[in-house]
Amino acid sequence: MPVDGAKSAPRAKPCPICGKPQVEASKPFCSERCRDVDLNRWLSGSYAIPARESDEDDDMDEPK
Ligand SMILES: [Zn+2]
């Protein structure tokens, strides 16, 4: 029975940000950019981001 466990990185989780294969240097992300995105996401998560529900300009009615 050939026990070949090292076959194309069996435990390689994808980047949580974009889903690409993670890179050894930027684990668990695929790049430093995604690591930065995650950091920003985490930081902004500490703050309560105001919901922009009525952000659309409804008073700009089209002339009929
Ligand atoms: Zn990524």
Side-chain angles (χ1 to χ4, degrees):
M1 269 196 350
V3 184
D4 194 24
K7 204 174 183 182
S8 69
R11 287 197 179 186
K13 288 183 185 176
C15 169
I17 303 300
C18 67
K20 289 180 183 177
Q22 60 181 228
V23 174
E24 193 74 28
S26 309
K27 273 185 176 180
F29 307 101
C30 73
S31 62
E32 288 189 22
R33 186 173 162 274
C34 278
R35 190 169 60 184
D36 217 47
V37 170
D38 185 76
L39 180 65
N40 283 327
R41 202 179 275 186
W42 188 84
L43 287 175
S44 57
S46 315
Y47 301 94
I49 303 174
R52 300 166 52 184
E53 290 181 12
S54 53
D55 197 47
E56 294 179 24
D57 293 316
D58 282 335
D59 51 350
M60 287 186 68
D61 288 326
E62 295 180 32
K64 286 183 180 175

PDB file of all heavy atoms in Angstrom, residues 20-49:
ATOM      1  N   LYS A  20      -8.114  32.255  -2.495  1.00  0.00           N
ATOM      2  CA  LYS A  20      -6.968  31.694  -3.198  1.00  0.00           C
ATOM      3  C   LYS A  20      -6.119  30.876  -2.236  1.00  0.00           C
ATOM      4  O   LYS A  20      -6.205  31.066  -1.023  1.00  0.00           O
ATOM      5  CB  LYS A  20      -6.117  32.836  -3.776  1.00  0.00           C
ATOM      6  CG  LYS A  20      -6.784  33.539  -4.935  1.00  0.00           C
ATOM      7  CD  LYS A  20      -5.857  34.639  -5.438  1.00  0.00           C
ATOM      8  CE  LYS A  20      -6.539  35.416  -6.559  1.00  0.00           C
ATOM      9  NZ  LYS A  20      -5.689  36.533  -7.023  1.00  0.00           N
ATOM     10  N   PRO A  21      -5.305  29.999  -2.772  1.00  0.00           N
ATOM     11  CA  PRO A  21      -4.410  29.207  -1.913  1.00  0.00           C
ATOM     12  C   PRO A  21      -3.468  30.109  -1.127  1.00  0.00           C
ATOM     13  O   PRO A  21      -2.915  31.057  -1.669  1.00  0.00           O
ATOM     14  CB  PRO A  21      -3.626  28.345  -2.911  1.00  0.00           C
ATOM     15  CG  PRO A  21      -4.457  28.327  -4.139  1.00  0.00           C
ATOM     16  CD  PRO A  21      -5.214  29.620  -4.177  1.00  0.00           C
ATOM     17  N   GLN A  22      -3.347  29.826   0.152  1.00  0.00           N
ATOM     18  CA  GLN A  22      -2.510  30.677   0.996  1.00  0.00           C
ATOM     19  C   GLN A  22      -1.037  30.491   0.699  1.00  0.00           C
ATOM     20  O   GLN A  22      -0.602  29.431   0.235  1.00  0.00           O
ATOM     21  CB  GLN A  22      -2.773  30.378   2.464  1.00  0.00           C
ATOM     22  CG  GLN A  22      -2.471  28.949   2.845  1.00  0.00           C
ATOM     23  CD  GLN A  22      -2.784  28.702   4.316  1.00  0.00           C
ATOM     24  OE1 GLN A  22      -1.977  28.143   5.026  1.00  0.00           O
ATOM     25  NE2 GLN A  22      -3.959  29.104   4.757  1.00  0.00           N
ATOM     26  N   VAL A  23      -0.284  31.528   0.991  1.00  0.00           N
ATOM     27  CA  VAL A  23       1.147  31.505   0.752  1.00  0.00           C
ATOM     28  C   VAL A  23       1.882  31.370   2.080  1.00  0.00           C
ATOM     29  O   VAL A  23       1.451  31.924   3.091  1.00  0.00           O
ATOM     30  CB  VAL A  23       1.592  32.804   0.042  1.00  0.00           C
ATOM     31  CG1 VAL A  23       3.108  32.864  -0.091  1.00  0.00           C
ATOM     32  CG2 VAL A  23       0.939  32.894  -1.330  1.00  0.00           C
ATOM     33  N   GLU A  24       2.957  30.616   2.051  1.00  0.00           N
ATOM     34  CA  GLU A  24       3.694  30.332   3.272  1.00  0.00           C
ATOM     35  C   GLU A  24       4.102  31.602   4.003  1.00  0.00           C
ATOM     36  O   GLU A  24       4.017  31.695   5.217  1.00  0.00           O
ATOM     37  CB  GLU A  24       4.961  29.546   2.912  1.00  0.00           C
ATOM     38  CG  GLU A  24       5.628  28.932   4.124  1.00  0.00           C
ATOM     39  CD  GLU A  24       4.854  27.727   4.657  1.00  0.00           C
ATOM     40  OE1 GLU A  24       4.163  27.062   3.852  1.00  0.00           O
ATOM     41  OE2 GLU A  24       4.956  27.447   5.842  1.00  0.00           O
ATOM     42  N   ALA A  25       4.477  32.618   3.248  1.00  0.00           N
ATOM     43  CA  ALA A  25       4.983  33.861   3.850  1.00  0.00           C
ATOM     44  C   ALA A  25       3.877  34.704   4.453  1.00  0.00           C
ATOM     45  O   ALA A  25       4.131  35.533   5.317  1.00  0.00           O
ATOM     46  CB  ALA A  25       5.741  34.656   2.800  1.00  0.00           C
ATOM     47  N   SER A  26       2.670  34.493   4.016  1.00  0.00           N
ATOM     48  CA  SER A  26       1.570  35.355   4.468  1.00  0.00           C
ATOM     49  C   SER A  26       0.435  34.566   5.091  1.00  0.00           C
ATOM     50  O   SER A  26      -0.708  35.003   5.061  1.00  0.00           O
ATOM     51  CB  SER A  26       1.034  36.165   3.287  1.00  0.00           C
ATOM     52  OG  SER A  26       2.064  36.812   2.618  1.00  0.00           O
ATOM     53  N   LYS A  27       0.764  33.401   5.646  1.00  0.00           N
ATOM     54  CA  LYS A  27      -0.273  32.578   6.252  1.00  0.00           C
ATOM     55  C   LYS A  27      -1.110  33.352   7.248  1.00  0.00           C
ATOM     56  O   LYS A  27      -0.583  34.148   7.992  1.00  0.00           O
ATOM     57  CB  LYS A  27       0.371  31.374   6.955  1.00  0.00           C
ATOM     58  CG  LYS A  27       0.568  30.208   6.029  1.00  0.00           C
ATOM     59  CD  LYS A  27       1.099  29.044   6.835  1.00  0.00           C
ATOM     60  CE  LYS A  27       1.222  27.812   5.936  1.00  0.00           C
ATOM     61  NZ  LYS A  27       1.739  26.662   6.693  1.00  0.00           N
ATOM     62  N   PRO A  28      -2.394  33.077   7.352  1.00  0.00           N
ATOM     63  CA  PRO A  28      -3.119  32.115   6.510  1.00  0.00           C
ATOM     64  C   PRO A  28      -3.707  32.753   5.259  1.00  0.00           C
ATOM     65  O   PRO A  28      -4.734  32.316   4.766  1.00  0.00           O
ATOM     66  CB  PRO A  28      -4.232  31.643   7.445  1.00  0.00           C
ATOM     67  CG  PRO A  28      -4.561  32.871   8.256  1.00  0.00           C
ATOM     68  CD  PRO A  28      -3.266  33.682   8.348  1.00  0.00           C
ATOM     69  N   PHE A  29      -3.073  33.802   4.784  1.00  0.00           N
ATOM     70  CA  PHE A  29      -3.617  34.499   3.630  1.00  0.00           C
ATOM     71  C   PHE A  29      -2.768  34.232   2.403  1.00  0.00           C
ATOM     72  O   PHE A  29      -1.659  33.704   2.488  1.00  0.00           O
ATOM     73  CB  PHE A  29      -3.700  35.999   3.913  1.00  0.00           C
ATOM     74  CG  PHE A  29      -4.441  36.315   5.178  1.00  0.00           C
ATOM     75  CD1 PHE A  29      -3.755  36.635   6.337  1.00  0.00           C
ATOM     76  CD2 PHE A  29      -5.812  36.258   5.225  1.00  0.00           C
ATOM     77  CE1 PHE A  29      -4.432  36.912   7.512  1.00  0.00           C
ATOM     78  CE2 PHE A  29      -6.507  36.527   6.386  1.00  0.00           C
ATOM     79  CZ  PHE A  29      -5.814  36.851   7.531  1.00  0.00           C
ATOM     80  N   CYS A  30      -3.292  34.637   1.257  1.00  0.00           N
ATOM     81  CA  CYS A  30      -2.585  34.367   0.008  1.00  0.00           C
ATOM     82  C   CYS A  30      -1.560  35.450  -0.270  1.00  0.00           C
ATOM     83  O   CYS A  30      -0.665  35.282  -1.073  1.00  0.00           O
ATOM     84  CB  CYS A  30      -3.578  34.268  -1.140  1.00  0.00           C
ATOM     85  SG  CYS A  30      -4.267  35.866  -1.612  1.00  0.00           S
ATOM     86  N   SER A  31      -1.703  36.568   0.409  1.00  0.00           N
ATOM     87  CA  SER A  31      -0.774  37.668   0.171  1.00  0.00           C
ATOM     88  C   SER A  31      -0.843  38.656   1.331  1.00  0.00           C
ATOM     89  O   SER A  31      -1.752  38.594   2.162  1.00  0.00           O
ATOM     90  CB  SER A  31      -1.130  38.385  -1.133  1.00  0.00           C
ATOM     91  OG  SER A  31      -2.432  38.937  -1.035  1.00  0.00           O
ATOM     92  N   GLU A  32       0.120  39.560   1.373  1.00  0.00           N
ATOM     93  CA  GLU A  32       0.099  40.554   2.451  1.00  0.00           C
ATOM     94  C   GLU A  32      -1.078  41.489   2.282  1.00  0.00           C
ATOM     95  O   GLU A  32      -1.554  42.096   3.229  1.00  0.00           O
ATOM     96  CB  GLU A  32       1.406  41.346   2.434  1.00  0.00           C
ATOM     97  CG  GLU A  32       2.574  40.523   2.925  1.00  0.00           C
ATOM     98  CD  GLU A  32       3.803  41.396   3.100  1.00  0.00           C
ATOM     99  OE1 GLU A  32       3.654  42.609   3.254  1.00  0.00           O
ATOM    100  OE2 GLU A  32       4.908  40.847   3.062  1.00  0.00           O
ATOM    101  N   ARG A  33      -1.510  41.621   1.066  1.00  0.00           N
ATOM    102  CA  ARG A  33      -2.640  42.506   0.795  1.00  0.00           C
ATOM    103  C   ARG A  33      -3.902  41.979   1.465  1.00  0.00           C
ATOM    104  O   ARG A  33      -4.647  42.718   2.089  1.00  0.00           O
ATOM    105  CB  ARG A  33      -2.850  42.615  -0.717  1.00  0.00           C
ATOM    106  CG  ARG A  33      -3.903  43.623  -1.085  1.00  0.00           C
ATOM    107  CD  ARG A  33      -3.949  43.803  -2.591  1.00  0.00           C
ATOM    108  NE  ARG A  33      -5.186  44.420  -3.000  1.00  0.00           N
ATOM    109  CZ  ARG A  33      -6.304  43.756  -3.250  1.00  0.00           C
ATOM    110  NH1 ARG A  33      -6.310  42.455  -3.152  1.00  0.00           N
ATOM    111  NH2 ARG A  33      -7.386  44.372  -3.608  1.00  0.00           N
ATOM    112  N   CYS A  34      -4.120  40.676   1.341  1.00  0.00           N
ATOM    113  CA  CYS A  34      -5.297  40.082   1.966  1.00  0.00           C
ATOM    114  C   CYS A  34      -5.158  40.115   3.479  1.00  0.00           C
ATOM    115  O   CYS A  34      -6.144  40.268   4.191  1.00  0.00           O
ATOM    116  CB  CYS A  34      -5.483  38.653   1.459  1.00  0.00           C
ATOM    117  SG  CYS A  34      -6.322  38.601  -0.141  1.00  0.00           S
ATOM    118  N   ARG A  35      -3.941  39.990   3.944  1.00  0.00           N
ATOM    119  CA  ARG A  35      -3.724  40.063   5.385  1.00  0.00           C
ATOM    120  C   ARG A  35      -4.085  41.467   5.876  1.00  0.00           C
ATOM    121  O   ARG A  35      -4.649  41.652   6.955  1.00  0.00           O
ATOM    122  CB  ARG A  35      -2.260  39.769   5.700  1.00  0.00           C
ATOM    123  CG  ARG A  35      -2.009  39.601   7.175  1.00  0.00           C
ATOM    124  CD  ARG A  35      -0.644  39.071   7.443  1.00  0.00           C
ATOM    125  NE  ARG A  35       0.410  39.938   6.941  1.00  0.00           N
ATOM    126  CZ  ARG A  35       1.691  39.668   6.989  1.00  0.00           C
ATOM    127  NH1 ARG A  35       2.087  38.531   7.492  1.00  0.00           N
ATOM    128  NH2 ARG A  35       2.587  40.483   6.507  1.00  0.00           N
ATOM    129  N   ASP A  36      -3.777  42.446   5.059  1.00  0.00           N
ATOM    130  CA  ASP A  36      -4.108  43.821   5.383  1.00  0.00           C
ATOM    131  C   ASP A  36      -5.617  44.025   5.365  1.00  0.00           C
ATOM    132  O   ASP A  36      -6.180  44.701   6.217  1.00  0.00           O
ATOM    133  CB  ASP A  36      -3.433  44.748   4.361  1.00  0.00           C
ATOM    134  CG  ASP A  36      -2.945  46.023   5.020  1.00  0.00           C
ATOM    135  OD1 ASP A  36      -2.316  45.920   6.088  1.00  0.00           O
ATOM    136  OD2 ASP A  36      -3.199  47.100   4.466  1.00  0.00           O
ATOM    137  N   VAL A  37      -6.250  43.430   4.387  1.00  0.00           N
ATOM    138  CA  VAL A  37      -7.704  43.535   4.278  1.00  0.00           C
ATOM    139  C   VAL A  37      -8.363  42.949   5.511  1.00  0.00           C
ATOM    140  O   VAL A  37      -9.281  43.524   6.080  1.00  0.00           O
ATOM    141  CB  VAL A  37      -8.204  42.811   3.014  1.00  0.00           C
ATOM    142  CG1 VAL A  37      -9.722  42.705   3.024  1.00  0.00           C
ATOM    143  CG2 VAL A  37      -7.728  43.546   1.771  1.00  0.00           C
ATOM    144  N   ASP A  38      -7.847  41.814   5.933  1.00  0.00           N
ATOM    145  CA  ASP A  38      -8.408  41.157   7.103  1.00  0.00           C
ATOM    146  C   ASP A  38      -8.196  41.998   8.347  1.00  0.00           C
ATOM    147  O   ASP A  38      -9.067  42.111   9.199  1.00  0.00           O
ATOM    148  CB  ASP A  38      -7.761  39.791   7.270  1.00  0.00           C
ATOM    149  CG  ASP A  38      -8.406  39.028   8.416  1.00  0.00           C
ATOM    150  OD1 ASP A  38      -9.529  38.531   8.222  1.00  0.00           O
ATOM    151  OD2 ASP A  38      -7.805  38.961   9.491  1.00  0.00           O
ATOM    152  N   LEU A  39      -7.043  42.621   8.417  1.00  0.00           N
ATOM    153  CA  LEU A  39      -6.727  43.467   9.570  1.00  0.00           C
ATOM    154  C   LEU A  39      -7.679  44.650   9.614  1.00  0.00           C
ATOM    155  O   LEU A  39      -8.236  44.970  10.660  1.00  0.00           O
ATOM    156  CB  LEU A  39      -5.277  43.950   9.464  1.00  0.00           C
ATOM    157  CG  LEU A  39      -4.824  44.850  10.633  1.00  0.00           C
ATOM    158  CD1 LEU A  39      -4.808  44.070  11.933  1.00  0.00           C
ATOM    159  CD2 LEU A  39      -3.442  45.413  10.348  1.00  0.00           C
ATOM    160  N   ASN A  40      -7.865  45.272   8.470  1.00  0.00           N
ATOM    161  CA  ASN A  40      -8.778  46.409   8.409  1.00  0.00           C
ATOM    162  C   ASN A  40     -10.195  45.977   8.751  1.00  0.00           C
ATOM    163  O   ASN A  40     -10.933  46.693   9.414  1.00  0.00           O
ATOM    164  CB  ASN A  40      -8.748  47.021   7.008  1.00  0.00           C
ATOM    165  CG  ASN A  40      -7.499  47.863   6.805  1.00  0.00           C
ATOM    166  OD1 ASN A  40      -6.998  48.490   7.734  1.00  0.00           O
ATOM    167  ND2 ASN A  40      -6.975  47.877   5.597  1.00  0.00           N
ATOM    168  N   ARG A  41     -10.543  44.820   8.263  1.00  0.00           N
ATOM    169  CA  ARG A  41     -11.879  44.303   8.534  1.00  0.00           C
ATOM    170  C   ARG A  41     -12.061  44.081  10.031  1.00  0.00           C
ATOM    171  O   ARG A  41     -13.083  44.371  10.615  1.00  0.00           O
ATOM    172  CB  ARG A  41     -12.053  42.977   7.784  1.00  0.00           C
ATOM    173  CG  ARG A  41     -13.487  42.606   7.553  1.00  0.00           C
ATOM    174  CD  ARG A  41     -13.574  41.324   6.804  1.00  0.00           C
ATOM    175  NE  ARG A  41     -13.487  41.517   5.358  1.00  0.00           N
ATOM    176  CZ  ARG A  41     -13.646  40.556   4.479  1.00  0.00           C
ATOM    177  NH1 ARG A  41     -13.857  39.330   4.885  1.00  0.00           N
ATOM    178  NH2 ARG A  41     -13.579  40.800   3.199  1.00  0.00           N
ATOM    179  N   TRP A  42     -11.018  43.561  10.626  1.00  0.00           N
ATOM    180  CA  TRP A  42     -11.063  43.281  12.064  1.00  0.00           C
ATOM    181  C   TRP A  42     -11.132  44.575  12.860  1.00  0.00           C
ATOM    182  O   TRP A  42     -11.872  44.695  13.829  1.00  0.00           O
ATOM    183  CB  TRP A  42      -9.820  42.480  12.434  1.00  0.00           C
ATOM    184  CG  TRP A  42      -9.851  41.965  13.833  1.00  0.00           C
ATOM    185  CD1 TRP A  42     -10.451  40.816  14.263  1.00  0.00           C
ATOM    186  CD2 TRP A  42      -9.273  42.574  14.995  1.00  0.00           C
ATOM    187  NE1 TRP A  42     -10.272  40.679  15.615  1.00  0.00           N
ATOM    188  CE2 TRP A  42      -9.554  41.727  16.083  1.00  0.00           C
ATOM    189  CE3 TRP A  42      -8.533  43.736  15.204  1.00  0.00           C
ATOM    190  CZ2 TRP A  42      -9.126  42.029  17.372  1.00  0.00           C
ATOM    191  CZ3 TRP A  42      -8.113  44.033  16.492  1.00  0.00           C
ATOM    192  CH2 TRP A  42      -8.403  43.180  17.563  1.00  0.00           C
ATOM    193  N   LEU A  43     -10.332  45.556  12.439  1.00  0.00           N
ATOM    194  CA  LEU A  43     -10.307  46.834  13.141  1.00  0.00           C
ATOM    195  C   LEU A  43     -11.633  47.554  13.002  1.00  0.00           C
ATOM    196  O   LEU A  43     -12.175  48.075  13.964  1.00  0.00           O
ATOM    197  CB  LEU A  43      -9.176  47.706  12.576  1.00  0.00           C
ATOM    198  CG  LEU A  43      -7.774  47.256  12.971  1.00  0.00           C
ATOM    199  CD1 LEU A  43      -6.743  48.122  12.267  1.00  0.00           C
ATOM    200  CD2 LEU A  43      -7.584  47.341  14.478  1.00  0.00           C
ATOM    201  N   SER A  44     -12.149  47.587  11.802  1.00  0.00           N
ATOM    202  CA  SER A  44     -13.415  48.290  11.578  1.00  0.00           C
ATOM    203  C   SER A  44     -14.559  47.566  12.258  1.00  0.00           C
ATOM    204  O   SER A  44     -15.612  48.146  12.519  1.00  0.00           O
ATOM    205  CB  SER A  44     -13.682  48.433  10.085  1.00  0.00           C
ATOM    206  OG  SER A  44     -13.693  47.158   9.479  1.00  0.00           O
ATOM    207  N   GLY A  45     -14.346  46.287  12.561  1.00  0.00           N
ATOM    208  CA  GLY A  45     -15.386  45.524  13.243  1.00  0.00           C
ATOM    209  C   GLY A  45     -15.543  45.975  14.679  1.00  0.00           C
ATOM    210  O   GLY A  45     -16.583  45.767  15.290  1.00  0.00           O
ATOM    211  N   SER A  46     -14.501  46.635  15.220  1.00  0.00           N
ATOM    212  CA  SER A  46     -14.567  47.099  16.597  1.00  0.00           C
ATOM    213  C   SER A  46     -15.466  48.319  16.711  1.00  0.00           C
ATOM    214  O   SER A  46     -15.982  48.631  17.761  1.00  0.00           O
ATOM    215  CB  SER A  46     -13.167  47.467  17.086  1.00  0.00           C
ATOM    216  OG  SER A  46     -12.251  46.469  16.707  1.00  0.00           O
ATOM    217  N   TYR A  47     -15.595  49.000  15.594  1.00  0.00           N
ATOM    218  CA  TYR A  47     -16.426  50.195  15.600  1.00  0.00           C
ATOM    219  C   TYR A  47     -17.809  49.885  15.044  1.00  0.00           C
ATOM    220  O   TYR A  47     -17.962  49.001  14.213  1.00  0.00           O
ATOM    221  CB  TYR A  47     -15.782  51.292  14.752  1.00  0.00           C
ATOM    222  CG  TYR A  47     -14.426  51.679  15.227  1.00  0.00           C
ATOM    223  CD1 TYR A  47     -13.300  51.097  14.689  1.00  0.00           C
ATOM    224  CD2 TYR A  47     -14.275  52.631  16.241  1.00  0.00           C
ATOM    225  CE1 TYR A  47     -12.032  51.444  15.113  1.00  0.00           C
ATOM    226  CE2 TYR A  47     -13.015  52.982  16.681  1.00  0.00           C
ATOM    227  CZ  TYR A  47     -11.900  52.388  16.121  1.00  0.00           C
ATOM    228  OH  TYR A  47     -10.663  52.725  16.552  1.00  0.00           O
ATOM    229  N   ALA A  48     -18.765  50.632  15.522  1.00  0.00           N
ATOM    230  CA  ALA A  48     -20.112  50.434  15.010  1.00  0.00           C
ATOM    231  C   ALA A  48     -20.292  51.253  13.740  1.00  0.00           C
ATOM    232  O   ALA A  48     -20.363  52.471  13.778  1.00  0.00           O
ATOM    233  CB  ALA A  48     -21.130  50.864  16.044  1.00  0.00           C
ATOM    234  N   ILE A  49     -20.301  50.551  12.660  1.00  0.00           N
ATOM    235  CA  ILE A  49     -20.459  51.240  11.384  1.00  0.00           C
ATOM    236  C   ILE A  49     -21.929  51.615  11.187  1.00  0.00           C
ATOM    237  O   ILE A  49     -22.792  50.747  11.212  1.00  0.00           O
ATOM    238  CB  ILE A  49     -20.003  50.341  10.222  1.00  0.00           C
ATOM    239  CG1 ILE A  49     -18.545  49.922  10.444  1.00  0.00           C
ATOM    240  CG2 ILE A  49     -20.162  51.077   8.894  1.00  0.00           C
ATOM    241  CD1 ILE A  49     -18.068  48.932   9.416  1.00  0.00           C
TER     242      ILE A  49
END
